[in-house]
Amino acid sequence: MSLDLPLVRGHVDPAVALRESVAPGALVRAGEADVIVVDPSGFVLLDEAEAPSGAPVVHRLVGDEATRALEGATASFIGVARGRSVVAIETSRDEARGRWEHLRAVGWQLDGDDAALALTALALAGWHVNYRFCPRCGAPVQLVSGGWAARCEMCDRLEYPRQDPAIIVLVQDHDGRVLLAHNALWRPGFVSIIAGYVEAGESPDVTVAREVAEEVRVEIETPTYVATQPWPFGRSQMMGYRARTASPRPTPQADGVEIEWARFYSRDELTRALESGEISAPGRASIAYALLREWYGRDLPSGPDGAGRN
Ligand SMILES: [Zn+2]
């Protein structure tokens, strides 16, 4: 089974060569772009109705509606999908505009290029709201290159969208049981696999072993890289790994600060814990879910009230 990463389904040509000269607002006014709308906190505007397949559909603004939406908003050139330029309008979530959903919740259901478009739009939007001033001289910056760069008005310094490298690792013991941990900041019962940021100057392969040792005091053998998924809620680039414990059946010891508790689960134990609602698992758009699903062999079971499905 190959790893199913919902947020990177579909294909968007980043059309990098066009960025220098493109004016997103002009494309919208000329009716030459598909226009989608995002809220930098992670929400995307959807059609009121779903597709015949039942999939939610990212809303496209047209005509005057698109032109009006430009007022007071940042517009970015996302790329080219199905031969059409796509522009994202970044605005605060206004319920009067229609149906908003968080990409983290709805991303796994989107068809075609919708997830990839929304992902890119949110990665840019998140950078735009947080990168307003030059880190060297403190003057305001101007977005250039269709939103893909920012130039300092004072010292001309150019900056590009940032992403923070992070690792996430599915650890198994020698019985094939999977390590799950509960972070102190999460809702009760919510568990996931071990994750953490790559430190300055650190190789991600080293981060994997360090994070597992720090958080649950378990030693692992050399980890295997699996796949990467951007995660724009924050601005992470999540690099997924698999690893086996060094000793056959270690007992995880939570650090008590970041990780409140951790333990290994067999497939049967995980099934029972999820079905009873004792624990809940990561949402389906996440790479954590994808790695767990691959280990489990099929979709993870729902809780008693159908909870934990997104
Ligand atoms: Zn500057």
Side-chain angles (χ1 to χ4, degrees):
M1 192 194 308
S2 68
L3 207 61
D4 179 31
L5 294 173
L7 295 189
V8 293
R9 274 186 209 141
H11 178 70
V12 180
D13 174 0
V16 174
L18 295 181
R19 285 181 194 162
E20 280 305 311
S21 56
V22 78
L27 280 179
V28 173
R29 287 186 198 92
E32 288 173 1
D34 281 349
V35 183
I36 68 173
V37 187
V38 295
D39 175 310
S41 68
F43 288 85
V44 57
L45 187 66
L46 299 179
D47 280 350
E48 296 289 347
E50 280 150 8
S53 66
V57 178
V58 171
H59 186 60
R60 267 77 171 169
L61 300 183
V62 291
D64 289 349
E65 190 190 15
T67 309
R68 278 199 308 275
L70 286 172
E71 283 170 32
T74 300
S76 298
F77 174 70
I78 301 304
V80 176
R82 292 164 204 265
R84 289 272 293 172
S85 291
V86 180
V87 167
I89 289 178
E90 301 162 14
T91 183
S92 58
R93 186 160 46 111
D94 170 6
E95 299 296 341
R97 226 184 249 279
R99 176 185 170 200
W100 294 86
E101 296 284 354
H102 202 284
L103 183 64
R104 195 170 47 199
V106 82
W108 65 280
Q109 295 174 293
L110 296 173
D111 278 343
D113 306 319
D114 275 5
L117 290 170
L119 174 75
T120 305
L122 285 169
L124 278 178
W127 180 61
H128 294 157
V129 292
N130 287 310
Y131 189 78
R132 311 280 292 281
F133 300 96
C134 174
R136 185 160 60 195
C137 76
V141 298
Q142 283 289 339
L143 294 181
V144 295
S145 300
W148 288 87
R151 185 186 298 283
C152 174
E153 291 175 358
M154 195 69 82
C155 75
D156 256 3
R157 177 192 160 105
L158 258 188
E159 185 88 9
Y160 300 92
R162 301 286 96 183
Q163 297 185 91
D164 297 329
I167 63 86
I168 184 158
V169 57
L170 185 132
V171 177
Q172 292 182 65
D173 70 6
H174 295 200
D175 293 335
R177 300 183 304 162
V178 70
L179 176 64
L180 292 172
H182 173 72
N183 188 301
L185 299 174
W186 294 340
R187 65 178 183 271
F190 183 84
V191 296
S192 189
I193 54 180
I194 301 292
Y197 288 108
V198 180
E199 301 278 358
E202 187 175 51
S203 148
D205 291 21
V206 173
T207 312
V208 175
R210 178 180 58 74
E211 286 288 344
V212 178
E214 279 177 9
E215 295 190 355
V216 295
R217 293 193 204 165
V218 167
E219 301 296 322
I220 56 168
E221 294 172 348
T222 305
T224 309
Y225 170 75
V226 183
T228 294
Q229 176 166 269
W231 193 246
F233 320 112
R235 53 175 195 186
S236 306
Q237 188 70 263
M238 302 296 300
M239 292 175 268
Y241 284 80
R242 276 191 290 266
R244 198 169 85 129
T245 56
S247 62
R249 277 169 291 281
T251 303
Q253 294 174 272
D255 65 12
V257 182
E258 186 177 349
I259 302 298
E260 225 159 56
W261 59 266
R263 58 162 284 192
F264 285 92
Y265 287 84
S266 68
R267 283 173 184 76
D268 286 347
E269 287 167 343
L270 185 66
T271 304
R272 283 196 292 276
L274 287 171
E275 285 178 350
S276 70
E278 179 190 327
I279 61 170
S280 56
R284 295 186 62 150
S286 66
I287 189 169
Y289 183 90
L291 287 163
L292 278 167
R293 182 183 186 277
E294 187 190 47
W295 168 82
Y296 192 70
R298 56 188 170 86
D299 286 345
L300 296 181
S302 304
D305 53 0
R309 306 316 300 130
N310 52 36

